[in-house]
Amino acid sequence: MAGQNLISLDDALNHLLGRATPVTRAEAVNLTDCLGRILAENHYVPADVPPADNSAVDGYAVYHGDVRDGEALTVSDRVPAGTAPAPLQPGTAVRIFTGSEIPEGADAVVMQERVERTGDSIMINATVSSGQNIRRRGQDLTKGALALARGTRIRPQEMGLLASTGINRVPVLAKLKVAILTTGDELVDPGQPLAPGQIYNTNRYTLLGLLAEAGCDVTLCESLEDTRDATRQTLTRAAAEADLIITSGGVSVGEEDHVRAVLEESGKLSLWRLAIKPGKPLAFGEVAGTPVIGLPGNPASVLVTFMVVAMPYIRKRQGRSDIVLTGERLPAAFEITETSVRREFVRARKENAGSEVQVAAFPNQSSGVMSSACWASGLAIVPENTRVARGDLVTFYSFNELLS
């Protein structure tokens, strides 16, 4: 078990990622259903894309040697897209359209704006060279080449690329199965009246949304009773159904913080208390062989620690290749006057300041203020033992990048 000293975020991530075994289960899904999924195997190009030379413009296909100043060419044929062209008759031109296959014998396309047509004759007012306005066979993808690597997260552009190679069933890794367990007898589901001492269960719905954005399947979503036995039983049941258990609350040092205690009793609490703000009382361990990430209980802390700690772990478990994020360096429109041994993740957003883009911070960074995250568009990073003056460069990660 980890000691009582705070663990740096870098050490914590190394610890988690070193224990993040990617899922190996795979399935084939329809091309229309593969958005956001992770490619389960390398995809090699089955045939050249495009499959034949085709026109890049609307115009006329010619052999460049037939084009002479002041001499007209007869239009001998018309090739709409989707039809197989006959060979070009020597000394003539063929009306052609964007995407149409180039006739045998033609080696250039003159765009229609550079042509004067009278009846069946055209006069070309341009210099014509071999290969002009032609998309060559295999220009995009060559048969046998690696098009997409295993571990690629499929976006709309990858869907289009797969479609261009004729694929309609896509091999993807199975979704990570996650159980959500929220702690606290004071929690009440939205829609019910609050009795004295009760609050609505914010974290359940935050986590449901985060895991949906992350492309996970939630197999169990329950509240834990604030007893040691109930916590142990529910964690054990969740372990039998899920690849990962995520809890919120119950990982601090109070008498009612049973999640950490159960992990500690099982001998599988391997990490606890991080040098980050918000989110210090984060825990990592396992129950019956299933990993458990114990997030803090405060709503903003849940959001931040999920994005910063849980999401990189989930990415690796999903078999993804894009684990490392880049962020961007921008001047701060806020200041931090006191240093801390904890790395701070400031709920912030980009704002225009004249010709410059700056990062502004929400005025109240309390871990219980969820409205700060709705105002913000990302997180600004204040490193350990660092003060920030206005205009200093800080690293900013958008929520979209953190959850992509």
Side-chain angles (χ1 to χ4, degrees):
M1 172 191 153
Q4 297 302 305
N5 294 329
L6 297 182
I7 300 169
S8 74
L9 177 60
D10 295 335
D11 287 344
L13 287 175
N14 286 335
H15 180 88
L16 265 71
L17 294 176
R19 289 157 179 76
T21 303
V23 295
T24 56
R25 304 185 306 273
E27 58 187 0
V29 299
N30 291 331
L31 179 60
T32 53
D33 298 325
C34 72
L35 182 66
R37 302 297 297 272
I38 310 303
L39 199 62
E41 58 190 52
N42 290 338
H43 175 63
Y44 295 94
V45 182
D48 289 340
V49 179
D53 291 355
N54 69 83
S55 179
V57 296
D58 293 344
Y60 294 86
V62 297
Y63 171 63
H64 79 282
D66 291 336
V67 179
R68 296 179 179 87
D69 289 343
E71 295 187 13
L73 293 175
T74 299
V75 180
S76 59
D77 201 356
R78 184 176 185 274
V79 184
T83 62
L88 174 69
Q89 296 179 27
T92 71
V94 168
R95 180 68 166 125
I96 200 166
F97 301 90
T98 303
S100 298
E101 187 173 332
I102 301 296
E104 181 183 346
D107 70 348
V109 175
V110 183
M111 65 174 58
Q112 61 189 19
E113 292 85 353
R114 307 305 299 273
V115 172
E116 294 180 14
R117 181 165 180 169
T118 305
D120 289 334
S121 296
I122 61 169
M123 189 71 72
I124 296 174
N125 302 314
T127 301
V128 180
S129 58
S130 180
Q132 178 177 310
N133 294 321
I134 292 178
R135 300 174 181 143
R136 293 300 184 188
R137 173 178 176 170
Q139 172 183 287
D140 188 4
L141 299 167
T142 304
K143 181 179 179 180
L146 176 64
L148 295 172
R150 184 185 191 277
T152 297
R153 182 175 182 267
I154 299 172
R155 301 168 297 172
Q157 50 266 55
E158 279 80 26
M159 292 179 69
L161 186 146
L162 289 165
S164 77
T165 66
I167 299 300
N168 69 336
R169 295 282 288 174
V170 184
V172 296
L173 293 173
K175 290 186 177 183
L176 196 69
K177 297 186 294 184
V178 183
I180 298 173
L181 302 177
T182 52
T183 70
D185 288 342
E186 75 280 10
L187 300 179
V188 175
D189 282 335
Q192 300 181 28
L194 290 178
Q198 293 182 327
I199 59 172
Y200 288 119
N201 191 342
T202 302
N203 294 338
R204 169 183 291 176
Y205 298 93
T206 300
L207 288 169
L208 282 170
L210 289 167
L211 289 165
E213 289 273 9
C216 298
D217 272 343
V218 175
T219 59
L220 183 72
C221 184
E222 295 185 7
S223 294
L224 290 171
E225 294 181 23
D226 277 339
T227 69
R228 190 70 53 86
D229 287 343
T231 299
R232 183 183 298 105
Q233 291 172 13
T234 307
L235 282 169
T236 301
R237 179 161 50 85
E241 300 181 23
D243 300 310
L244 170 66
I245 301 169
I246 294 182
T247 66
S248 68
V251 292
S252 192
V253 293
E255 295 178 2
E256 301 299 322
D257 290 314
H258 299 297
V259 172
R260 179 192 59 80
V262 169
L263 293 176
E264 194 169 16
E265 288 169 3
S266 72
K268 298 296 183 180
L269 177 64
S270 60
L271 182 149
W272 181 47
R273 300 179 80 235
L274 304 191
I276 61 175
K277 180 182 180 181
K280 179 173 68 174
L282 183 141
F284 178 74
E286 65 178 62
V287 169
T290 298
V292 179
I293 297 178
L295 304 180
N298 284 317
S301 295
V302 166
L303 183 78
V304 171
T305 52
F306 181 94
M307 291 180 174
V308 173
V309 180
M311 196 62 207
Y313 176 85
I314 287 172
R315 281 193 186 94
K316 187 170 180 185
R317 291 291 308 274
Q318 290 174 324
R320 290 172 59 170
S321 56
D322 56 340
I323 296 174
V324 178
L325 306 180
T326 56
E328 53 186 322
R329 296 283 285 174
L330 295 168
F334 62 92
E335 57 184 22
I336 301 292
T337 58
E338 296 183 6
T339 63
S340 172
V341 296
R342 297 156 66 188
R343 189 177 307 178
E344 185 169 0
F345 294 86
V346 178
R347 280 143 275 162
R349 70 184 184 192
K350 295 195 290 186
E351 293 183 348
N352 292 323
S355 61
E356 185 178 57
V357 176
Q358 297 181 337
V359 177
F362 191 76
N364 189 339
Q365 292 289 320
S366 168
S367 59
V369 178
M370 195 61 172
S371 59
S372 63
C374 299
W375 176 90
S377 62
L379 301 175
I381 315 306
V382 178
E384 299 87 335
N385 306 306
T386 301
R387 293 184 179 90
V388 176
R390 292 180 182 273
D392 287 351
L393 292 179
V394 295
T395 301
F396 176 81
Y397 294 99
S398 71
F399 290 147
N400 286 338
E401 182 180 12
L402 289 164
L403 285 174
S404 66

